[in-house]
Amino acid sequence: SKVNPDSRFVELEKQLEVNPDNIELRTNLALEYYSVRKMDKAISHLLIVIGMDSTNTVALFNLGNLFYDTEQNQKAVKYYEKALVQDTLNFNARCDLATCYLRQGMTEKTIRVLKKNILMNPYHAQSYYNISLAYKAAGRINESESAMIKYKEITAFQLTK
C-alpha cells in the first residue's frame, strides 16, 4: 500500500495543534511545505516563527529564500538583511541578497555586496558568477570576464575534490 504523500503534513499539523509554540516543529513543517513548493503555507508558518522569535536565522533565511524564489525581491531583501544581522557569515544569504538588488536594477549595490562576500570568502563560487553578471550589466566587460574565469577555476577545483 502506498503512503499518502500529504500524511507527513497531517502528522506535523496534528503535533502543532498540541504544541503551537514549538518553534522547531513549526519550522520543520514550513520547510516540508517549502520542499514541495507549497509556498504560501511555508511562508505563513515561518512568519509565525518570526513572530515568536524575531532573530530566528533559519526562519529569516528561508523567508528570504521563499520570497527570492517567488521573485518578491523587496520582501526577500528585508529577510536576507535581517538574517545577515544575526549571521554575518551566511555567504549564500548575502549572495542571494545581491541577486535581489541586481533584479531591481541596483547594479553598483550588487557589486559592493558581492565584493564584500568575496572578501569574506574568496572561494564562494556563486559570488563570482553573480558579480560577473553584475559587471556585465554595468558594461564592465573585462571585470565580468575575469570574475567568470575565477568562477570556473573555483568550480573546476571543487569538482576535483
Side-chain angles (χ1 to χ4, degrees):
S1 72
K2 284 191 171 184
V3 175
N4 179 350
D6 290 330
S7 64
R8 66 181 178 212
F9 300 114
V10 172
E11 181 57 35
L12 288 169
E13 292 279 7
K14 282 181 184 175
Q15 291 177 31
L16 208 52
E17 284 175 23
V18 175
N19 197 355
D21 295 333
N22 186 321
I23 288 176
E24 184 178 351
L25 181 60
R26 190 172 295 278
T27 302
N28 289 340
L29 177 60
L31 297 178
E32 286 288 336
Y33 279 129
Y34 188 10
S35 74
V36 295
R37 313 304 285 171
K38 293 185 179 186
M39 306 306 220
D40 291 342
K41 288 188 178 216
I43 289 168
S44 68
H45 282 291
L46 289 174
L47 288 173
I48 292 169
V49 170
I50 295 302
M52 293 188 279
D53 176 7
S54 64
T55 64
N56 186 300
T57 54
V58 172
L60 291 168
F61 178 63
N62 280 290
L63 276 166
N65 286 345
L66 281 154
F67 289 123
Y68 175 95
D69 289 350
T70 56
E71 297 194 23
Q72 297 178 63
N73 295 305
Q74 289 176 327
K75 287 181 180 180
V77 163
K78 173 183 168 182
Y79 289 104
Y80 284 140
E81 287 177 344
K82 287 181 179 187
L84 286 164
V85 167
Q86 303 305 317
D87 179 6
T88 59
L89 298 178
N90 190 331
F91 305 113
N92 293 330
R94 188 173 294 103
C95 190
D96 291 345
L97 170 65
T99 301
C100 290
Y101 291 145
L102 186 60
R103 288 175 175 174
Q104 296 175 80
M106 300 179 206
T107 311
E108 291 306 317
K109 190 169 190 174
T110 302
I111 291 169
R112 278 194 310 275
V113 170
L114 290 169
K115 278 184 171 180
K116 179 178 181 177
N117 225 28
I118 290 166
L119 187 64
M120 293 173 72
N121 180 357
Y123 301 103
H124 193 262
Q126 193 64 45
S127 290
Y128 288 99
Y129 183 86
N130 291 9
I131 204 169
S132 173
L133 299 178
Y135 282 138
K136 188 174 182 180
R140 295 161 63 175
I141 302 307
N142 289 343
E143 289 164 292
S144 173
E145 289 172 352
S146 294
M148 187 57 73
I149 289 168
K150 188 70 176 169
Y151 164 77
K152 289 176 180 176
E153 287 173 354
I154 291 170
T155 54
F157 177 74
Q158 289 172 347
L159 290 173
T160 61
K161 282 185 157 183

